[in-house]
Amino acid sequence: MTTPVIGAPPSAVLRAALQLYPARYRRERGEELAEVFADTTAAGGRVAVAREVLGLAVYGLRVRLGLTGASAAGRLLALLAPMVAGAAVGATMVPWVVSLERTTRWLAWDDSLQNHVRAFAPPVAALLLGVAALLGRWTAVRATALVLGAAGLYQLVGAAWQPYRFDVWWVGYIGMATLPFVVTALLLVAAPTDLLPWANRRTAALVLTSVAVGGLLEAAQNWDDTSFPLDLPWFVVMLVVPLLLTFAGLRGRTGPMAVGLAVLVLTGPGCLFNIWRESRGISHLLPVAAPVVALLVLVAVAERRFGRREALGVVPGRA
């Protein structure tokens, strides 16, 4: 492949961006990409060149990772996007509403600006996320989700980076409250833009339903209750049922698979942590884990061997 010379700096960054594409893709379409780049930046300045290079680089990563609109994974992520966006709203609002009285007392004791930001920034961001999802403004959805995800990651890193020792319990406790938002942000960023749904009644209904379900799942986990003993079978069910739904993807059923993944994003971290802390050791965990894993393996094999034989994302109307 030959890259046309468009000036030294743009040519260098263009070649670097094209290196992100798989070798076969570069051989087949590299010259076309370079020509389009030359046409779109001929009359533009540095900002236009930088924007086009960034677009090429991002799409190259999508092609390499198989996250384009033409891939099964891309179609699944696009179907999943309104579900995880709505679920993130519900999962944010429920803890905030439940702890509102405690937050009010806390602010009455220390009404500094920092504390007000810490108290009200998450619910405000969640509401903005929900409104953007209802309106089909996916750039705003991604930006808001990244804010929530970054805040969660900051808390998780702070919990892990202890000055004296690494506390597994504390990291797990913070992780079950923050990891869902980190994963949600990654899933929304990874979803192909061209497949994300427009604002319509179906999308609005899906988002609002996901808000309600996300809130209920967050309340059901009761992640802020540190009392013992916990209801171990309940957490196993909340982990296994969505996992079984994801097995529908083995037969090309993207709808149930997306629902299972959306639920797992919310319940996975909390259920794993609660199962671990209730088991109190590997010797107590194995009697629970062994039959569950055996069941999942048997279901996966049966689904793969005896189920219908469509490939993921190929059958029309499955999503």
Side-chain angles (χ1 to χ4, degrees), residues 4-15 46 49:
V5 178
I6 316 168
S11 179
V13 294
L14 174 59
R15 285 196 298 268
R46 292 180 179 274
V49 172

Side-chain angles (χ1 to χ4, degrees), residues 169-170 173 176 221-230 273-274 277 280:
W169 190 95
W170 182 243
Y173 179 71
M176 66 177 174
Q221 291 183 80
N222 200 19
W223 61 266
D224 202 30
D225 182 8
T226 57
S227 62
F228 293 92
L230 298 172
F273 174 73
N274 283 307
R277 73 175 181 177
R280 301 181 183 182

Side-chain angles (χ1 to χ4, degrees), residues 109-273:
W109 176 71
D110 183 358
D111 62 347
S112 63
L113 176 62
Q114 180 181 2
N115 282 345
H116 276 82
V117 171
R118 290 173 59 188
F120 293 103
V124 169
L127 290 176
L128 291 175
L129 173 63
V131 171
L134 289 172
L135 297 176
R137 305 294 184 180
W138 293 104
T139 299
V141 168
R142 286 166 164 164
T144 313
L146 283 172
V147 170
L148 289 171
L153 187 61
Y154 177 79
Q155 294 180 53
L156 185 59
V157 171
W161 194 266
Q162 296 293 328
Y164 302 107
R165 66 185 181 90
F166 180 81
D167 190 338
V168 177
W169 190 95
W170 182 243
V171 172
Y173 179 71
I174 298 299
M176 66 177 174
T178 58
L179 279 177
F181 301 103
V182 177
V183 176
T184 294
L186 294 175
L187 291 174
L188 288 171
V189 169
T193 303
D194 55 328
L195 293 186
L196 291 173
W198 295 94
N200 52 42
R201 291 183 179 180
R202 181 177 181 273
T203 301
L206 186 58
V207 171
L208 292 175
T209 301
S210 299
V211 171
V213 173
L216 289 173
L217 287 173
E218 188 70 17
Q221 291 183 80
N222 200 19
W223 61 266
D224 202 30
D225 182 8
T226 57
S227 62
F228 293 92
L230 298 172
D231 191 355
L232 182 60
W234 173 243
F235 291 114
V236 173
V237 169
M238 291 178 68
L239 186 65
V240 171
V241 170
L243 270 175
L244 292 174
L245 282 174
T246 64
F247 290 168
L250 296 173
R251 310 314 308 165
R253 302 297 296 271
T254 55
M257 185 180 186
V259 172
L261 287 174
V263 173
L264 275 178
V265 169
L266 286 185
T267 63
C271 287
L272 287 173
F273 174 73

